[in-house]
Amino acid sequence: MIAGDLFHRQPLLRELKEVDYLLGSLSRTQVVLAAGNHDYIKKNSYYRTFVWSSNVHMILSSEISCIELEELDTAVYGLSYYEKEKSEPLYEKIRLRDNCRYRILLAHGGDEKHLPFRKGAVESAGFDYVALGHIHKPQELIQNRMVYAGALEPIDKNDTGRHGLVKGSLNESGCKAEFVPAASREYIHMEIEVSENMAGYALRTLIEQEIQKCGVQNLYRITLKGFKDPEVQFDLYHMDTFGNIVGIVDDTIPAFDFLRLLAANRDNLMGKYIERFGDAEPDSVEYQALCEGVRALLETKRG
Ligand SMILES: [Mn+2]
């Protein structure tokens, strides 16, 4: 079951040929697919005329239609998008009209602009399983009954977490659906706790170890947290040992010893400045101003 948006844009003819070759080479498998809101069936879409292998069935109708897979005694309901958005709740209005033992709904969307549905309304139609697409993160709406498989691979850097497919089995005793991780890599948002005694090279080594722990095949967005030595400047361009860091942000707070600085500067501008912001919380804008001001004053003093 391919629940739409197999392509994130209009597919090229050669891409359909490649996909059809792969799906057509499955010897004991029937494939049903429909177009989603990204690969929707435009006027000149290759989906309109493409001739699939005999085991590959595309639902081309823009209204709910039904494909019967006789040898599996299974009917698959669904539709294809012919535009980027479609806001009628069509999946809530399905009337079953087949003579099969099993019934699957292949559905794409679920948000406001893409065929919204209430899961209860779809459930009551009587499908054995609802295979959902559109949302990239795998999730079960109803256990073993209504599941978003999610994208096979993460699509962008915010598409974190596991990705793969749903393996389901449908027989007299009901439907079982389990998530099978299949993505070759994952996007991971990682926080690294920096300490005051850590210099740049130590940080680089720590990041290297953390990435090794979580897998060098994955892609990382790293946020540095904690307090750092105010003297230390991290060179963020040289932290990427394995070439898999897609972004790194330094959110550390300089660990100025304000009490000591205040004691030594009671009568000057620095002392007055520290007093002015004395009770700022470490994650506030005031604290940031305090740190920047103190840094500037220290640098002026040295200069
Ligand atoms: Mn979609």
Short mmCIF file of all heavy atoms in Angstrom, two decimals, residues 3-5 8 36-39 81 108-109 114 133-136, ligand 1:
data_model
loop_
_atom_site.label_atom_id
_atom_site.label_comp_id
_atom_site.label_asym_id
_atom_site.label_seq_id
_atom_site.Cartn_x
_atom_site.Cartn_y
_atom_site.Cartn_z
N ALA A 3 0.44 5.08 0.17
CA ALA A 3 -0.67 5.99 0.46
C ALA A 3 -0.40 7.43 0.00
O ALA A 3 -0.63 8.38 0.73
CB ALA A 3 -0.99 5.95 1.95
N GLY A 4 0.09 7.60 -1.21
CA GLY A 4 0.23 8.94 -1.78
C GLY A 4 1.56 9.60 -1.49
O GLY A 4 2.27 9.23 -0.56
N ASP A 5 1.90 10.58 -2.34
CA ASP A 5 3.19 11.28 -2.21
C ASP A 5 4.38 10.32 -2.22
O ASP A 5 5.34 10.50 -1.46
CB ASP A 5 3.24 12.16 -0.94
CG ASP A 5 2.41 13.43 -1.09
OD1 ASP A 5 1.89 13.67 -2.19
OD2 ASP A 5 2.30 14.17 -0.10
N HIS A 8 7.72 13.64 -4.00
CA HIS A 8 7.43 14.90 -3.31
C HIS A 8 7.12 16.02 -4.30
O HIS A 8 7.02 17.18 -3.96
CB HIS A 8 8.62 15.28 -2.41
CG HIS A 8 8.21 15.96 -1.15
ND1 HIS A 8 7.37 15.37 -0.23
CD2 HIS A 8 8.48 17.19 -0.66
CE1 HIS A 8 7.17 16.22 0.76
NE2 HIS A 8 7.82 17.33 0.53
N GLY A 36 -0.83 11.67 -4.03
CA GLY A 36 -1.09 12.56 -2.90
C GLY A 36 -1.12 14.02 -3.34
O GLY A 36 -1.24 14.32 -4.53
N ASN A 37 -0.98 14.92 -2.40
CA ASN A 37 -1.05 16.34 -2.73
C ASN A 37 0.23 16.89 -3.34
O ASN A 37 0.22 17.94 -3.96
CB ASN A 37 -1.43 17.16 -1.49
CG ASN A 37 -0.43 16.99 -0.37
OD1 ASN A 37 -0.13 15.87 0.02
ND2 ASN A 37 0.12 18.07 0.12
N HIS A 38 1.34 16.17 -3.21
CA HIS A 38 2.58 16.62 -3.84
C HIS A 38 2.73 16.05 -5.25
O HIS A 38 3.12 16.76 -6.17
CB HIS A 38 3.80 16.21 -3.00
CG HIS A 38 3.98 17.07 -1.79
ND1 HIS A 38 4.43 18.35 -1.86
CD2 HIS A 38 3.74 16.82 -0.48
CE1 HIS A 38 4.48 18.87 -0.64
NE2 HIS A 38 4.07 17.97 0.22
N ASP A 39 2.42 14.77 -5.41
CA ASP A 39 2.50 14.17 -6.75
C ASP A 39 1.11 14.10 -7.39
O ASP A 39 0.82 13.21 -8.18
CB ASP A 39 3.20 12.80 -6.69
CG ASP A 39 2.52 11.80 -5.77
OD1 ASP A 39 1.54 12.18 -5.09
OD2 ASP A 39 2.96 10.64 -5.72
N TYR A 81 -5.33 12.63 -5.62
CA TYR A 81 -5.45 14.10 -5.67
C TYR A 81 -5.28 14.57 -7.10
O TYR A 81 -4.40 14.10 -7.82
CB TYR A 81 -4.37 14.75 -4.80
CG TYR A 81 -4.65 14.73 -3.32
CD1 TYR A 81 -4.69 13.54 -2.61
CD2 TYR A 81 -4.85 15.92 -2.62
CE1 TYR A 81 -4.92 13.52 -1.24
CE2 TYR A 81 -5.09 15.92 -1.25
CZ TYR A 81 -5.12 14.72 -0.56
OH TYR A 81 -5.36 14.72 0.78
N HIS A 108 -4.94 9.55 2.05
CA HIS A 108 -3.85 10.53 2.12
C HIS A 108 -4.37 11.85 2.66
O HIS A 108 -5.34 12.40 2.14
CB HIS A 108 -3.24 10.74 0.73
CG HIS A 108 -2.00 11.58 0.76
ND1 HIS A 108 -0.75 11.03 0.85
CD2 HIS A 108 -1.83 12.92 0.76
CE1 HIS A 108 0.15 12.01 0.88
NE2 HIS A 108 -0.49 13.18 0.84
N GLY A 109 -3.75 12.35 3.70
CA GLY A 109 -4.16 13.65 4.24
C GLY A 109 -4.52 13.55 5.70
O GLY A 109 -3.86 12.87 6.48
N HIS A 114 -6.29 18.93 3.55
CA HIS A 114 -6.06 17.70 2.79
C HIS A 114 -6.96 16.59 3.31
O HIS A 114 -6.59 15.83 4.19
CB HIS A 114 -4.58 17.29 2.88
CG HIS A 114 -3.66 18.38 2.41
ND1 HIS A 114 -3.04 19.24 3.27
CD2 HIS A 114 -3.31 18.75 1.16
CE1 HIS A 114 -2.32 20.10 2.56
NE2 HIS A 114 -2.47 19.83 1.29
N GLY A 133 -1.30 8.05 4.65
CA GLY A 133 -0.11 8.77 4.22
C GLY A 133 -0.31 10.26 4.38
O GLY A 133 -1.43 10.71 4.61
N HIS A 134 0.78 11.01 4.25
CA HIS A 134 0.80 12.48 4.26
C HIS A 134 1.65 13.02 5.41
O HIS A 134 2.47 13.89 5.21
CB HIS A 134 -0.61 13.08 4.34
CG HIS A 134 -0.64 14.58 4.26
ND1 HIS A 134 -0.07 15.27 3.22
CD2 HIS A 134 -1.16 15.53 5.09
CE1 HIS A 134 -0.26 16.58 3.40
NE2 HIS A 134 -0.90 16.76 4.53
N ILE A 135 1.43 12.48 6.60
CA ILE A 135 2.21 12.95 7.74
C ILE A 135 3.51 12.14 7.79
O ILE A 135 3.47 10.90 7.67
CB ILE A 135 1.37 12.83 9.03
CG1 ILE A 135 0.24 13.85 8.94
CG2 ILE A 135 2.23 13.05 10.28
CD1 ILE A 135 -0.74 13.81 10.06
N HIS A 136 4.63 12.84 7.88
CA HIS A 136 5.92 12.16 7.73
C HIS A 136 6.32 11.32 8.94
O HIS A 136 7.10 10.39 8.83
CB HIS A 136 7.03 13.19 7.46
CG HIS A 136 6.84 13.90 6.17
ND1 HIS A 136 7.61 14.95 5.77
CD2 HIS A 136 5.96 13.69 5.16
CE1 HIS A 136 7.21 15.38 4.58
NE2 HIS A 136 6.21 14.62 4.19
MN MN B 1 0.97 14.77 1.39
#
